[in-house]
Amino acid sequence: CLWTLAAILKETLKDALVARAGALKKLLAPLDAVLEGFYSAILLHHFDSRRYTSPYSEATNNLSSFIDLLEALLVSRIELELPLRCQRVLFLKVSYVLNVISSSIPYVIKKKFILLLKKCVLYKSREDAKGGSVFLQTPSLCEDMLALSNVVLQVVNLTWLNQIPLSGKSSYFGSSETAPGHNSQGASDQTVLRALSLVVLKALEFKIHNSATEAEIK
């Protein structure tokens, strides 16, 4: 079901520009509350269970399909003037994703979620893309990015980054330790390192731009 819905969304985005918004609304509006509830339910699981120990297990594959659906919802957001809750939930409840990333879920899932977060912080509405503005003009997207930035900066200010592996081996963010038998150059996943760094920098940039006082910026 997850795969089918994601595939339909992707195909709809290939349709003629005029038809997209109507088709997406017709498809997603009846599922809006269901998808938001599903997001909360699936990401509040205890991912330390044995079902998720293998990157090839059915449970891991299901979660991977869910990430694909979240990505399709993010991409589809640009077509609607007023995005639905299911298209905003990734921003508004990003703490669920951050908790999954720091759990003992297989590395392949952590990486997919981190790359999805990168797409969130780089996301622009059609109006912002046309205007070439560095900062966001659309009120709903501005609100969502501020919510995401606040939560990301809160967890980074704690010890969240120290729990994030930078490869399937035992190399961690901020750690000089390398996996046995590996040289220091090859130990870290540079794609994940760059994506994580970009998420933090973009969150910081957006927060500073939207801070009211000098003290808050500091």
Side-chain angles (χ1 to χ4, degrees), residues 47-183:
F47 292 106
D48 301 330
S49 71
R50 290 181 183 176
R51 291 191 305 151
Y52 295 95
T53 51
S54 168
Y56 310 107
S57 69
E58 185 181 356
T60 304
N61 284 334
N62 288 342
L63 195 54
S64 181
S65 294
F66 183 58
I67 298 171
D68 292 339
L69 175 58
L70 289 175
E71 186 176 347
L73 287 168
L74 176 67
V75 174
S76 71
R77 175 183 177 140
I78 199 169
E79 303 300 332
L80 299 182
E81 193 175 333
L82 292 171
L84 299 166
R85 284 284 300 185
C86 65
Q87 294 171 305
R88 301 179 65 192
V89 70
L90 188 56
F91 294 86
L92 300 177
K93 296 184 178 180
V94 71
S95 60
Y96 293 24
V97 169
L98 299 177
N99 287 337
V100 174
I101 291 171
S102 61
S103 73
S104 61
I105 200 102
Y107 180 74
V108 64
I109 296 295
K110 292 177 190 273
K111 184 171 182 174
K112 282 194 80 165
F113 267 127
I114 289 167
L115 295 179
L116 182 59
L117 285 180
K118 175 188 166 185
K119 289 179 181 177
C120 284
V121 299
L122 293 177
Y123 181 84
K124 286 187 177 180
S125 70
R126 186 181 287 140
E127 290 78 9
D128 296 323
K130 279 181 185 173
S133 171
V134 176
F135 296 105
L136 312 168
Q137 308 298 325
T138 314
S140 63
L141 185 54
C142 189
E143 181 187 330
D144 292 357
M145 274 300 300
L146 193 55
L148 182 145
S149 298
N150 282 334
V151 175
V152 167
L153 293 175
Q154 281 169 18
V155 298
V156 167
N157 202 35
L158 300 172
T159 58
W160 183 78
L161 278 177
N162 297 334
Q163 302 169 49
I164 312 304
L166 288 178
S167 72
K169 310 296 181 187
S170 57
S171 174
Y172 283 77
F173 197 101
S175 169
S176 58
E177 293 178 16
T178 58
H182 289 73
N183 61 45

Side-chain angles (χ1 to χ4, degrees), residues 13-68:
L13 291 169
K14 294 177 185 175
D15 288 345
L17 193 60
V18 182
R20 283 182 200 165
L24 284 168
K25 204 157 191 178
K26 193 174 180 180
L27 173 66
L28 294 176
L31 295 170
D32 196 23
V34 175
L35 287 172
E36 185 182 0
F38 192 52
Y39 175 93
S40 301
I42 196 168
L43 295 185
L44 280 176
H45 266 298
H46 292 291
F47 292 106
D48 301 330
S49 71
R50 290 181 183 176
R51 291 191 305 151
Y52 295 95
T53 51
S54 168
Y56 310 107
S57 69
E58 185 181 356
T60 304
N61 284 334
N62 288 342
L63 195 54
S64 181
S65 294
F66 183 58
I67 298 171
D68 292 339

